[in-house]
Structures are given as structure tokens and as C-alpha cells.
Amino acid sequence: MTSTPTPLPGLHAVVPAGGAGTRLWPLSRSGRPKFLLDLTGAGSSLLQQTWARLVPLTGPGRMLVVTGVAHAEAVAGQLPALAPGNLLAEPSPRESAAAICLAAAVVRTRDPEAVIGSFAADHVIRDVPAFHRAVTEAVSTAQQGYVVTIGVTPDRPATAYGYIRAGKPLEVPGAPSALAVERFVEKPDAATAEAYLAEGGYRWNAGMFVSRADVLLDQLRRHRPALYDGLAEIAAGWDGPHRAELLDRVWPGLEKVAIDYAVAEPAADAGAVAVVPADLGWDDVGDFSSLAALLPPGGNGDGPGGRASADRDAADRDATGLRVLGDRARVLSLDATGVVAGAGDRLIAVLGVDDVVVVDTPDAVLVTTRDRAQEVKKLVDRLRGDGRTELL
């Protein structure tokens, strides 16, 4: 039996909840992006699942969510225990450096000794105890002055993620796994990704960062001083009466830049970044092919006219079977593999196709293959170019 962890002293969790999840259209829309959706059949949204695995490490009072103004009401509705002052609503998207470092600056004004951990709202982690252990080591490492990333152990030569090249052990008390980061590398091609796995020493960069708030902000001040100055000005008035005025005046002029470029990469070049390797069962739910791998098997033959129960049991053991998100009774399949997501009342019948993706919503239907799932964003771009924003 797994014990519930106790809150880690000084840790504040920051949850950036942004992006439209365009590769998951038409399920994910600009008005209701993927972090607000239940994409795993768990009965809770990805945001709620993120909250549930983080709050044991912090308590609800040290949880912060950064999201756009368009989604602030929905976020508050899904997270009733989130303190109103800990919901940071961005007037416009300004990339991850502004989002995360604004939260860090607000936390620093409240607790100068705080450690912050940033964890995306729309990822899946299957091994939560392993995640808790990794965060605990990351906090110990951060308290020694490092910016720390949790490096996910790769299980395939993925080309959709950046990688982290790990170096020597740091021998940090309380963090036996912590290693120096030699460098961050961009998303590789297939041959390079294969070489990374063969060589070893590389981890996926899942965008999870843990640092003392003052250390993170000092790195930002060194490498992006104008962005630092703007965020510090907003944070200084965040808990006062001038928050709205500061946001209206300062936020639009802030630089759009990812935290990897603004902080992590230059800090790694200076030897100031550590990685805690971890095998978490992590996935960023980046497209429908990823979604298919997260859903339980058993859709093949479910629903009206399905196979006999013995055959369904065999399909349940078949990792390549048809996966279903939604009401399985509304999916009829025969000799089919892939994923079906139904958000309407119609029966969806799939016959004799492999690795198919079928997504049915009231105003749009998507049919593609798992191999082409990464390209769904091109359809969204086409709709936007055609001015059909009502579908986005």
C-alpha cells in the first residue's frame, strides 16, 4: 500500500494552463482546450489530475495556476480549492517564461525562501509515487541553488520532444539521483533519436522545472533583464489594489519567449542546471496517436453486435485493439484498430481499417490515421486561414 506524501516545506507548485491543443481538434478547442477535458476516461480533466498529484506535496494554499483570461472562470470552477489570489490570469499569451516567472515573482513577494515547481496542466503521469519521489529529490537539489528539471526516461526514440544530456552525479544530500545537465538539445530527427537511446545518458525534456524562486528570477534577470523588470513590477503589486492596472500597462510589452530559451539553456551553459531522472509513465497527450496509447483496450467489438465475451477478453489484452474515448455502447467495430472519440449521440461504426482515428463532435468530424495524427494542426491552420473561427 502506497503512503500519501506529506507536504514539502517551502514548495509552491505552479501549473501553467495554456495552449489550445490544436493536434487534438475537434475535441480540443480554443474555448475549451485539452487541459479542461477528460481525455483518459478517468472522470476528471487533465488539469484536475495535475492538481490531485501535486496538492499532497504542497497543500492547496501553495498551488498556483497561470492561465488566460478566457479560461480563468473554467479553471476556478474545476478547482474550487484554488485560492483566488493564486489564479494568475494572463491578459494575452506571452509564452512560458512570462507565465512561470510571473508566478515565481508573486511567490517570492510572499515567501522569499520559497521553492517553486512548474508542472504543465495537460500532461499524464501514470506512476504518481515515482513522480512524488522525483519532485522530492528536485526540491532538495533546488535548495542547493540549482535550477532543476525532471528528465523523463525515454522508452522510444521520440522525435516530438527535446532531450537533456545528463552529466556527472552532483552528490546532493537527499537527492541521490541528481545529475549535472550538460546541455539541452532540440527535437531530433529519427536517426539522432535512435542514437540518443543507444548511447544512453539522454532524457526527455518534459518541461518540469523546480528552483528556488530567487534563483530562477536571478537567472531571468541575467539573461532577459527587460522581461525580469516587467514581471517584478507586476508581482510587486499583485496582492494590492493596482493589479489590473499593472497588467494592462506592463503585460502587453513583455517578451514572448519559452523558459527553455530564457533561463534553462543559458543556465545550463553556466553549469547551474541539474536533472533528476525519473521513469514516470509520462505523456504529453500531444495528438490522437498518443491518446490511443493512454486509453484502455477493449473497444474492439464492444457495443451493439460486438464479439462474444471471450473474444472481447482477448481484445482487452491486445494493445493494438480499437480504443474508445466516450460511450463504448455508441461504437460498433469489426476488424479495426486505432482510436474513436465520440462526443455526440450517433453510433460510430468502424469496419476493416487499421490505426484509424475517428473523432465525432456535434459540429465537426475528423477522420485520419495515427501516422498522420501530428498533422491535425494543419487542418486547424487551414480553418483559421479560411476564417472559420467558429470551429476553432
Side-chain angles (χ1 to χ4, degrees), residues 1 71 224 286 302 376:
M1 184 168 142
H71 304 128
R224 292 292 199 281
D302 283 354
V376 171

Side-chain angles (χ1 to χ4, degrees), residues 13 27 87 96 144 174 176 207 228 234 240 256 318 356 387:
L27 287 184
L87 177 56
S96 58
Q144 301 301 311
Y228 170 85
I234 295 170
K256 289 184 177 182
D318 180 6
V356 70

Side-chain angles (χ1 to χ4, degrees), residues 28-371:
S28 181
R29 310 283 184 107
S30 59
R32 194 165 177 79
K34 69 173 184 173
F35 62 83
L36 294 173
L37 305 178
D38 176 8
L39 293 178
T40 63
S44 56
S45 71
L46 297 181
L47 172 66
Q48 291 169 322
Q49 293 174 47
T50 302
W51 173 281
R53 65 176 169 263
L54 284 170
V55 75
L57 301 177
T58 64
R62 289 187 275 129
M63 292 282 298
L64 295 89
V65 178
V66 187
T67 194
V69 291
H71 304 128
E73 184 177 352
V75 167
Q78 288 199 1
L79 303 177
L82 177 65
N86 287 356
L87 177 56
L88 283 62
E90 304 172 301
S92 59
R94 278 292 178 272
E95 295 285 353
S96 58
I100 295 167
C101 292
L102 172 61
V106 169
V107 167
R108 185 181 62 175
T109 65
R110 300 170 178 173
D111 180 2
E113 304 297 319
V115 172
I116 69 152
S118 174
F119 308 95
D122 55 1
H123 293 179
V124 167
I125 291 176
R126 300 182 191 86
D127 192 340
V128 174
F131 172 73
H132 289 162
R133 292 191 296 270
V135 174
T136 301
E137 286 201 38
V139 169
S140 295
T141 308
Q143 287 169 338
Q144 301 301 311
Y146 290 96
V147 176
V148 188
T149 183
I150 296 175
V152 174
T153 304
D155 59 14
R156 63 189 186 278
T159 59
Y161 308 135
Y163 285 71
I164 302 161
R165 175 71 170 113
K168 64 181 181 180
L170 291 174
E171 300 181 356
V172 173
S177 302
L179 306 170
V181 168
E182 291 186 354
R183 67 183 185 276
F184 291 86
V185 293
E186 297 290 340
K187 298 174 183 178
D189 59 27
T192 304
E194 291 274 10
Y196 288 165
L197 261 67
E199 179 183 339
Y202 285 88
R203 302 293 187 276
W204 285 338
N205 179 10
M208 294 182 273
F209 292 99
V210 180
S211 173
R212 283 193 349 229
D214 61 341
V215 169
L216 184 71
L217 292 168
D218 184 59
Q219 290 288 344
L220 184 69
R221 181 181 56 78
R222 293 182 191 181
H223 303 294
R224 292 292 199 281
L227 180 56
Y228 170 85
D229 289 343
L231 293 173
E233 184 179 2
I234 295 170
W238 186 263
D239 290 323
H242 303 298
R243 179 193 302 176
E245 183 274 325
L246 285 166
L247 282 170
D248 289 344
R249 176 170 54 83
V250 179
W251 188 265
L254 297 180
E255 180 185 8
K256 289 184 177 182
V257 60
I259 195 166
D260 304 74
Y261 302 132
V263 173
E265 291 183 5
D269 291 341
V273 181
V275 60
V276 173
D279 187 356
L280 306 175
W282 170 88
D283 199 287
D284 69 345
V285 203
D287 59 31
F288 285 109
S289 183
S290 295
L291 180 62
L294 293 170
L295 293 171
N300 204 7
D302 283 354
R307 296 176 177 174
S309 60
D311 289 337
R312 281 204 305 273
D313 290 343
D316 287 346
R317 295 191 295 270
D318 180 6
T320 65
L322 190 74
R323 312 299 176 98
V324 176
L325 178 63
D327 186 355
R328 292 174 181 267
R330 298 193 182 280
V331 177
L332 171 63
S333 68
L334 181 63
D335 297 328
T337 65
V339 60
V340 172
D345 295 329
R346 288 174 292 210
L347 174 72
I348 302 171
V350 188
L351 170 64
V353 287
D354 290 326
D355 284 337
V356 70
V357 174
V358 180
V359 183
D360 180 31
T361 70
D363 62 350
V365 176
L366 170 71
V367 180
T368 185
T369 64
R370 289 184 66 176
D371 281 348

